PDB file of all heavy atoms in Angstrom:
ATOM      1  N   ALA A   5       0.797   4.493  -2.331  1.00 39.00           N
ATOM      2  CA  ALA A   5       0.638   5.913  -1.871  1.00 39.00           C
ATOM      3  C   ALA A   5       1.757   6.825  -2.380  1.00 39.00           C
ATOM      4  O   ALA A   5       1.557   7.976  -2.797  1.00 39.00           O
ATOM      5  CB  ALA A   5       0.618   5.893  -0.352  1.00 39.00           C
ATOM      6  N   ALA A   6       2.989   6.256  -2.346  1.00 37.00           N
ATOM      7  CA  ALA A   6       4.143   6.994  -2.770  1.00 37.00           C
ATOM      8  C   ALA A   6       4.007   7.257  -4.259  1.00 37.00           C
ATOM      9  O   ALA A   6       4.241   8.430  -4.751  1.00 37.00           O
ATOM     10  CB  ALA A   6       5.429   6.212  -2.536  1.00 37.00           C
ATOM     11  N   GLY A   7       3.595   6.292  -5.008  1.00 35.00           N
ATOM     12  CA  GLY A   7       3.448   6.461  -6.477  1.00 35.00           C
ATOM     13  C   GLY A   7       2.424   7.544  -6.770  1.00 35.00           C
ATOM     14  O   GLY A   7       2.593   8.331  -7.672  1.00 35.00           O
ATOM     15  N   PHE A   8       1.331   7.516  -6.030  1.00 38.00           N
ATOM     16  CA  PHE A   8       0.303   8.484  -6.235  1.00 38.00           C
ATOM     17  C   PHE A   8       0.794   9.910  -6.024  1.00 38.00           C
ATOM     18  O   PHE A   8       0.565  10.812  -6.777  1.00 38.00           O
ATOM     19  CB  PHE A   8      -0.903   8.200  -5.310  1.00 38.00           C
ATOM     20  CG  PHE A   8      -2.038   9.114  -5.410  1.00 38.00           C
ATOM     21  CD1 PHE A   8      -2.882   9.078  -6.499  1.00 38.00           C
ATOM     22  CD2 PHE A   8      -2.247  10.156  -4.513  1.00 38.00           C
ATOM     23  CE1 PHE A   8      -3.934   9.963  -6.627  1.00 38.00           C
ATOM     24  CE2 PHE A   8      -3.283  11.058  -4.606  1.00 38.00           C
ATOM     25  CZ  PHE A   8      -4.112  10.897  -5.778  1.00 38.00           C
ATOM     26  N   LEU A   9       1.535  10.080  -4.898  1.00 36.00           N
ATOM     27  CA  LEU A   9       2.020  11.438  -4.586  1.00 36.00           C
ATOM     28  C   LEU A   9       3.006  11.908  -5.616  1.00 36.00           C
ATOM     29  O   LEU A   9       3.026  12.990  -6.154  1.00 36.00           O
ATOM     30  CB  LEU A   9       2.609  11.484  -3.163  1.00 36.00           C
ATOM     31  CG  LEU A   9       1.592  11.238  -2.077  1.00 36.00           C
ATOM     32  CD1 LEU A   9       2.319  11.038  -0.780  1.00 36.00           C
ATOM     33  CD2 LEU A   9       0.637  12.417  -1.943  1.00 36.00           C
ATOM     34  N   PHE A  10       3.953  10.966  -5.900  1.00 36.00           N
ATOM     35  CA  PHE A  10       4.982  11.260  -6.850  1.00 36.00           C
ATOM     36  C   PHE A  10       4.382  11.593  -8.242  1.00 36.00           C
ATOM     37  O   PHE A  10       4.890  12.482  -8.956  1.00 36.00           O
ATOM     38  CB  PHE A  10       6.001  10.102  -6.995  1.00 36.00           C
ATOM     39  CG  PHE A  10       7.232  10.479  -7.742  1.00 36.00           C
ATOM     40  CD1 PHE A  10       8.173  11.304  -7.191  1.00 36.00           C
ATOM     41  CD2 PHE A  10       7.414   9.984  -9.051  1.00 36.00           C
ATOM     42  CE1 PHE A  10       9.280  11.623  -7.882  1.00 36.00           C
ATOM     43  CE2 PHE A  10       8.515  10.283  -9.778  1.00 36.00           C
ATOM     44  CZ  PHE A  10       9.522  11.158  -9.141  1.00 36.00           C
ATOM     45  N   GLY A  11       3.345  10.852  -8.611  1.00 36.00           N
ATOM     46  CA  GLY A  11       2.735  11.068  -9.875  1.00 36.00           C
ATOM     47  C   GLY A  11       2.212  12.490 -10.035  1.00 36.00           C
ATOM     48  O   GLY A  11       2.079  12.962 -11.154  1.00 36.00           O
ATOM     49  N   GLN A  12       1.879  13.157  -8.960  1.00 39.00           N
ATOM     50  CA  GLN A  12       1.264  14.526  -9.010  1.00 39.00           C
ATOM     51  C   GLN A  12       2.360  15.612  -8.954  1.00 39.00           C
ATOM     52  O   GLN A  12       2.047  16.714  -9.132  1.00 39.00           O
ATOM     53  CB  GLN A  12       0.354  14.649  -7.858  1.00 39.00           C
ATOM     54  CG  GLN A  12      -0.952  13.872  -8.043  1.00 39.00           C
ATOM     55  CD  GLN A  12      -2.032  14.419  -7.198  1.00 39.00           C
ATOM     56  OE1 GLN A  12      -1.786  14.791  -6.057  1.00 39.00           O
ATOM     57  NE2 GLN A  12      -3.275  14.389  -7.641  1.00 39.00           N
ATOM     58  N   MET A  13       3.602  15.178  -8.724  1.00 38.00           N
ATOM     59  CA  MET A  13       4.637  16.203  -8.593  1.00 38.00           C
ATOM     60  C   MET A  13       4.945  16.845 -10.018  1.00 38.00           C
ATOM     61  O   MET A  13       5.088  16.114 -10.956  1.00 38.00           O
ATOM     62  CB  MET A  13       5.951  15.633  -8.023  1.00 38.00           C
ATOM     63  CG  MET A  13       5.788  15.368  -6.546  1.00 38.00           C
ATOM     64  SD  MET A  13       7.290  14.503  -5.899  1.00 38.00           S
ATOM     65  CE  MET A  13       8.485  15.729  -6.186  1.00 38.00           C
TER      66      MET A  13
END
Side-chain angles (χ1 to χ4, degrees):
F8 179 75
L9 293 170
F10 190 72
Q12 286 198 322
M13 285 175 66

